[in-house]
Amino acid sequence: MGTSRHDIRLGYLGFEVRDVEAWATFAVDVLGLAIGSRGNDGCFSLRCDDWAQRFAVSSGPADDIAFFGWEVDDAGALEAAAARLRSAGVDAAEGTDAETRVRRVTRLLKLRDPAGHPCEIFFGAERADSPFRSRHVVSSFVTGAQGLGHAVLSAPAPERSLAFYRDVLGFRLSDRIVCEVHGHPVDIVFMHGGARHHSVAIGGPQRKRVHHFMLEVASMDDVGLAFDRALRGGVRITQTLGRHPNDRMFSFYAKTPSGFQFEFGWGGRQVDDATWQTTTYDRVSEWGHHPPEMLAPKPREGASR
Ligand code: FE2
């Protein structure tokens, strides 16, 4: 593709949730995000940096991701994406003025990926008129050119999803992890569209639209502090602190109030397309990322219960 290559990164996420108030508390007091604005129907937006909104939370029965926003740099990149979608036979509708106003972006295209996930490709996110302040995060969220973070998508037909994100949306292969975890086969493909090691990863089918989404902070202490807040807030930890071999992220995993997971990390590696070599790893974690049940002491042999 050479000169026609454009960057693409995770820009925003929409959540449709059953318990809006639980989400507001969780987002502010566990994740350390800040409420941007509140609608009269209970919906609200969240910030994590200088953008006016990075998350849109609405009330509904799905308890799932409602849409993924993929950010490109400018109108030229949006047009290039539209052309690739057309030649791949993917229906993409230009967002209306009302829709771009709600998302607070200049332009957007609406489409569905091969798994049926609603996706929006956009550029020109509105900046907030006040600085972002977290009640809890001491450093900052790592965003900017690296985007909001990453999402590991549910993909009932992984090959089709992989081809779509790579050949149509323009993500590049970072690496792959093929192994077994607790007796379950794992095969995940990681892709980047800029410096962040991966903005999107494709595993197998999940119950919700994502296995997890990831937010990165600029200090290791902020991961530990978030872990403490999750414990204190009664959030269900799913994987203890650990480090991934491919993106080198130091992180933990826990459940959102909607049941899908989030990863909260620090220290993610960046890729340089000029020198990057793809690799296949044989483990998901260098160390850690254990189910918390492993922390329970085993009963002594011969002891009754
Ligand atoms: Fe992750």
Side-chain angles (χ1 to χ4, degrees):
M1 301 271 271
T3 53
S4 68
R5 196 172 68 198
H6 294 286
D7 276 5
I8 182 165
R9 59 194 85 87
L10 186 63
Y12 56 73
L13 286 172
F15 303 117
E16 180 189 316
V17 309
R18 281 177 183 275
D19 191 339
V20 182
E21 280 320 303
W23 257 91
T25 304
F26 162 77
V28 172
D29 290 333
V30 178
L31 297 181
L33 304 174
I35 304 276
S37 58
R38 276 186 182 272
N40 37 24
D41 49 352
C43 64
F44 61 90
S45 69
L46 292 163
R47 295 180 55 193
C48 69
D49 59 8
D50 63 337
W51 283 29
Q53 86 185 25
R54 282 287 194 175
F55 305 89
V57 183
S58 66
S59 172
D63 245 353
D64 204 345
I65 304 280
F67 52 85
F68 298 88
W70 301 108
E71 183 196 16
V72 295
D73 286 330
D74 50 30
L78 193 84
E79 303 290 354
R84 286 197 308 271
L85 287 160
R86 258 195 311 277
S87 56
V90 179
D91 278 333
E94 178 87 32
T96 63
D97 287 349
E99 286 168 332
T100 55
R101 219 175 300 125
V102 168
R103 296 287 189 266
R104 307 182 79 160
V105 300
T106 304
R107 270 180 74 188
L108 65 89
L109 298 174
K110 293 171 64 176
L111 54 129
R112 285 188 185 257
D113 82 353
H117 305 322
C119 290
E120 298 173 0
I121 302 173
F122 74 95
F123 74 91
E126 188 185 323
R127 298 312 195 258
D129 41 26
S130 60
F132 168 72
R133 275 189 226 293
S134 171
R135 215 180 270 176
H136 301 286
V137 171
V138 181
S139 62
S140 60
F141 287 95
V142 177
T143 57
Q146 294 198 67
L148 177 59
H150 69 233
V152 178
L153 307 178
S154 175
E159 290 306 323
R160 286 186 57 208
S161 290
L162 165 61
F164 175 79
Y165 283 92
R166 185 190 54 204
D167 305 335
V168 183
L169 293 196
F171 286 94
R172 283 86 76 182
L173 190 69
S174 304
D175 43 46
R176 189 171 167 185
I177 298 182
V178 181
C179 64
E180 226 178 66
V181 176
H182 306 294
H184 300 288
V186 168
D187 186 346
I188 311 170
V189 173
F190 299 84
M191 284 178 280
H192 63 277
R196 183 179 291 284
H197 173 276
H198 62 281
S199 294
V200 62
I202 312 276
Q206 304 289 333
R207 251 167 291 168
K208 303 279 171 110
R209 284 185 166 138
V210 289
H211 175 269
H212 69 272
F213 68 94
M214 190 280 315
L215 299 179
E216 182 178 4
V217 283
S219 88
M220 193 180 88
D221 287 334
D222 269 320
V223 176
L225 290 166
F227 190 75
D228 281 357
R229 293 196 300 276
L231 289 178
R232 260 188 261 115
V235 169
R236 171 132 178 84
I237 306 289
T238 49
Q239 295 183 37
T240 57
L241 290 160
R243 192 155 207 168
H244 291 301
N246 58 341
D247 67 356
R248 306 291 304 149
M249 194 73 76
F250 165 78
S251 62
F252 73 94
Y253 290 69
K255 283 200 172 172
T256 67
S258 294
F260 57 85
Q261 299 177 50
F262 69 92
E263 177 184 10
F264 202 93
W266 162 80
R269 173 184 195 191
Q270 297 185 40
V271 305
D272 174 359
D273 279 303
T275 53
W276 188 256
Q277 305 271 351
T278 61
T279 317
T280 299
Y281 293 87
D282 64 356
R283 68 202 63 190
V284 174
S285 301
E286 208 66 70
W287 57 268
H289 289 149
H290 299 298
E293 293 75 30
M294 275 185 67
L295 301 177
K298 290 213 173 65
R300 274 179 297 122
E301 218 165 301
S304 56
R305 277 220 35 160

